[in-house]
Amino acid sequence: MLIEKSCKDFVEVLASKEPVPGGGGAAALVGAIGMALGNMVGNLTVGKKKYKDVEAEVYEIMEKATKLQQDLLSMVDGDAEVFGEVAKVYRMPKNTDEEKAAREEAMEKALKHACSVPMDIIKAALEAIKLQARLGEIGSIMALSDVGVGVLCLKAALISGKLNVIINLNGIKDESFVSKVSEEMDALVEEGIKIVDETYAKVEERLKN
Amino acid sequence: MLIEKSCKDFVEVLASKEPVPGGGGAAALVGAIGMALGNMVGNLTVGKKKYKDVEAEVYEIMEKATKLQQDLLSMVDGDAEVFGEVAKVYRMPKNTDEEKAAREEAMEKALKHACSVPMDIIKAALEAIKLQARLGEIGSIMALSDVGVGVLCLKAALISGKLNVIINLNGIKDESFVSKVSEEMDALVEEGIKIVDETYAKVEERLKN
C-alpha cells in the first residue's frame, strides 16, 4: 500500500513517472495531514483545566476527525486503484467497431468510477474543514497556528479534488452525469473555501495580536 | 528521522500530542509533495516528441526541483530540531533574577533560530511555485492537473510557513529583527500567492476547455 511507504519514498515515487501516486493521491494525503493537525489541536486541548467546559465537544470532534483522517489516508490508495482501472481501459484494443464500442463503454464506466474518489476527497475535506473551524473557536490557543496550517492543507486537498474530478468528467459522454456531478462538486468546494478563508483570517488576526 | 516514518505513521504521530511533528513539519512535507508533483510533470514531459523543443529547459527545471524537494523534506526534521531547542529553554529554571535573565537570553536566541526553518520553507516554496508555473506553460498537457495540485500544495506550505514564523516572532523582543523578518516574509508570501493564483486560474480554465 502506498501509505505504508515512508514519507521520503512516497515523495520520491510521486516525483517519478510511475502512474501512481498522482495528483489525486497527493490530495488525499495532504487532506489527511490537514485533519491530523485538527486531531493534534484536540489532543492539546483536552485534559486542560482552562478548556474543561468544551472538553466533551472536543472529544466528539476528535472522534469524527479520527475517522476522516483514516478515510482520507485510505483514499490515497483508493485513487490509485480507480486510476489503474482507467489505465487498463486505455490499453484495450480498438481495431474493429466491436472493440471500439466495448472500449468506449468500459471507458465511460471506469471514468465515472474514477470520479468517485476525488469526490470523496472533496466531501471528507469539507467535513474536516468544518471540524477545524470549530477547533479554531474552542481549541487551545497554544495550537491556534496549527488550526491555520490545517485549514490551508484541507483547502489544497479540496480544490485538488476538484481538479481531479474535472479531468475525469472531461472524458465522460453522459451529459446528465457530468452536469449533476459538476454542480454538486462546485457547491461543496465553494462552501469549503468560504469556511477556510474565514477561519484562516481569524487565525492570522488573533496570532498577530 | 520523521521522514523515514510511513505516511500512515507520520499522520498518526502528527495527530497525537507528541511535540513533533507539528504545523511546521506538516508544512514542509506538503511543500515537498507539491514540488514532487512538479518533478512528475517534468518526467511525463521529457522524452516525448511533442515536447522536444522544451526538453532542455524541462531538464533544468527538474534538476532544481529535485534539490528543492529534498530541501523541503529535510525541513520536516529541521523544524522538529529547532522546536526542540525552544522546548528546552521553556524547561529552564526561573527562580532567581539570574536564572530569569539567562532564560530570557536563551529564549530570544532559540526563537530567532526557530524562525529560520519556516522562513526556509517560505523561500523554498516560492522557488518551487515559480518552477511549477513554468511547467504549467511548457510541460505535458496530460499532466496539467498535477501542476494545479502542485501549486495548491505549495501555497498551503508557503502560508503555513508564514504562520509558523509569526508564532516565533511573537515571543522575540528584538524589534528590529522582528520588523526585518516580517517585511521579508510578507514580500515573499505575497509574490508566491500571486503566482499560484494566476497559475491555478490558467490550469482550471484550460482543463475546462
Side-chain angles (χ1 to χ4, degrees), chain A residues 159-191:
Chain A
I159 310 179
S160 296
K162 176 178 163 175
L163 291 179
N164 282 281
V165 172
I166 292 174
I167 52 172
N168 289 306
L169 287 182
N170 281 347
I172 295 174
K173 300 209 164 135
D174 178 349
E175 282 179 26
S176 81
F177 177 89
V178 172
S179 65
K180 191 177 150 280
V181 172
S182 288
E183 270 172 45
E184 188 189 357
M185 170 182 80
D186 286 342
L188 295 169
V189 172
E190 196 186 324
E191 185 183 357

Side-chain angles (χ1 to χ4, degrees), chain A residues 79 82 114-123 161-162 164-165 168:
Chain A
D79 189 73
V82 293
C115 285
S116 65
V117 178
M119 274 302 277
D120 286 343
I121 294 174
I122 291 171
K123 287 172 195 167
K162 176 178 163 175
N164 282 281
V165 172
N168 289 306

Side-chain angles (χ1 to χ4, degrees), chain B residues 174-185:
Chain B
D174 177 350
E175 282 179 28
S176 81
F177 178 89
V178 172
S179 65
K180 191 179 152 278
V181 172
S182 288
E183 269 173 44
E184 188 189 357
M185 170 182 79

Side-chain angles (χ1 to χ4, degrees), chain A residues 61-106:
Chain A
I61 291 175
M62 286 166 70
E63 204 182 316
K64 291 178 193 165
T66 302
K67 170 89 172 55
L68 283 169
Q69 178 186 311
Q70 285 161 352
D71 287 351
L72 282 159
L73 272 179
S74 76
M75 290 172 204
V76 177
D77 286 281
D79 189 73
E81 216 170 283
V82 293
F83 185 87
E85 287 172 29
V86 175
K88 215 160 142 186
V89 177
Y90 269 111
R91 291 191 297 268
M92 280 173 73
K94 47 176 177 174
N95 301 313
T96 67
D97 284 351
E98 283 80 18
E99 283 177 353
K100 278 182 197 162
R103 189 176 182 274
E104 200 169 288
E105 199 188 320

